[in-house]
Amino acid sequence: EIVLTQSPGTLSLSPGERATLSCRASQSVSSSYLAWYQQKPGQAPRLLIYGASSRATGIPDRFSGSGSGTDFTLTISRLEPEDFAVYYCQQYGGSPPYTFGQGTKLEIK
Amino acid sequence: EVQLVESGGGLVQPGGSLRLSCAASGFTFSTYDMHWVRQVTGKGLEWVSAIDTAGKTYYPDSVKGRFTISRENAKNSLYLQMNSLRAGDTAVYYCAREVFYGDWYFDLWGRGTLVTVSS
């Protein structure tokens, strides 16, 4: 089973700042099978990034994804107030289980 | 409107059973693999089960033998039969649609239904 480890657990930043979130896999993951989700309190997860770097429909271009192999990054170039939420990475390694990282909480400093 | 709507959650005693439903609309349900994902309050996301378009099912070890995922394409519905429930199964349960066309991801989620296992 591939384990995804996200860091940091909590990131405290101010609006306008740049956020860099990390997702590290215990073994190599195809970039095509790495996705990022945003979740706000009381809401379902929302797809942000798929294929490690492609933005989902309607996602602002301040969100970007990068990485390959075992190291992936979600970057938010300039934080807006609505971006403060929990972010999860997820992988598909060719067979179940379909694991999620433990999440990074992005909070207002 | 393209959406997924879960129902069937509630309070159940340890050892009891519950059946969740997920109603799909606005898309051709039969052509998508579907999943259940759960989330304990304040915790992360945990994949619970999957069913492909042919009806083949998949489970993590944590629920294997206790949970059964099924689908009824004629009714655009997904189900999760949960037996031998434990306190640790208390969570919000989401259904999600999988896209696997080159890239792989869950592009559509329901709002979730809360299952509470307690005496």
Side-chain angles (χ1 to χ4, degrees):
Chain A
E1 174 180 335
I2 297 176
V3 176
L4 298 178
T5 302
Q6 292 186 241
S7 61
T10 302
L11 185 57
S12 299
L13 294 170
S14 300
E17 291 192 294
R18 180 186 185 90
T20 302
L21 288 67
S22 173
C23 175
R24 178 163 290 179
S26 59
Q27 54 187 280
S28 186
V29 173
S30 168
S31 296
S32 296
Y33 303 160
L34 193 287
W36 289 91
Y37 302 86
Q38 177 194 65
Q39 188 179 33
K40 296 180 180 179
Q43 297 185 16
R46 171 196 183 196
L47 176 68
L48 287 179
I49 299 287
Y50 64 91
S53 61
S54 298
R55 277 187 301 277
T57 303
I59 301 304
D61 60 7
R62 64 180 180 273
F63 290 90
S64 64
S66 63
S68 63
T70 59
D71 289 297
F72 298 89
T73 301
L74 174 68
T75 301
I76 311 171
S77 60
R78 189 174 173 83
L79 286 165
E80 298 288 341
E82 62 268 27
D83 298 337
F84 293 91
V86 180
Y87 292 84
Y88 296 94
C89 57
Q90 182 197 27
Q91 67 81 32
Y92 169 60
S95 62
Y98 308 89
T99 52
F100 293 89
Q102 82 278 20
T104 289
K105 182 180 181 180
L106 180 55
E107 64 177 23
I108 299 176
K109 187 174 182 179
Chain B
E1 181 184 359
V2 177
Q3 64 177 353
L4 298 170
V5 179
E6 302 92 339
S7 61
L11 176 64
V12 61
Q13 292 189 338
S17 298
L18 207 58
R19 188 196 197 205
L20 306 183
S21 299
C22 171
S25 58
F27 63 98
T28 307
F29 175 73
S30 62
T31 64
Y32 288 88
D33 294 358
M34 299 294 297
H35 298 254
W36 288 97
V37 175
R38 69 184 179 185
Q39 185 172 38
V40 174
T41 301
K43 302 298 184 182
L45 301 168
E46 180 189 13
W47 171 73
V48 170
S49 61
I51 186 166
D52 67 15
T53 56
K56 189 172 182 180
T57 59
Y58 306 86
Y59 307 93
D61 289 342
S62 58
V63 307
K64 195 174 294 182
R66 300 189 300 123
F67 289 11
T68 303
I69 188 173
S70 61
R71 64 191 303 161
E72 191 167 357
N73 291 334
K75 293 187 175 181
N76 293 322
S77 292
L78 178 73
Y79 305 103
L80 185 67
Q81 177 67 42
M82 303 185 295
N83 299 330
S84 303
L85 283 163
R86 309 164 179 167
D89 296 317
T90 295
V92 173
Y93 286 73
Y94 298 100
C95 60
R97 183 177 77 174
E98 175 189 310
V99 171
F100 195 173
Y101 191 73
D103 296 315
W104 172 93
Y105 47 92
F106 293 179
D107 72 326
L108 180 66
W109 296 67
R111 298 183 70 174
T113 187
L114 176 62
V115 173
T116 304
V117 183
S118 175
S119 55

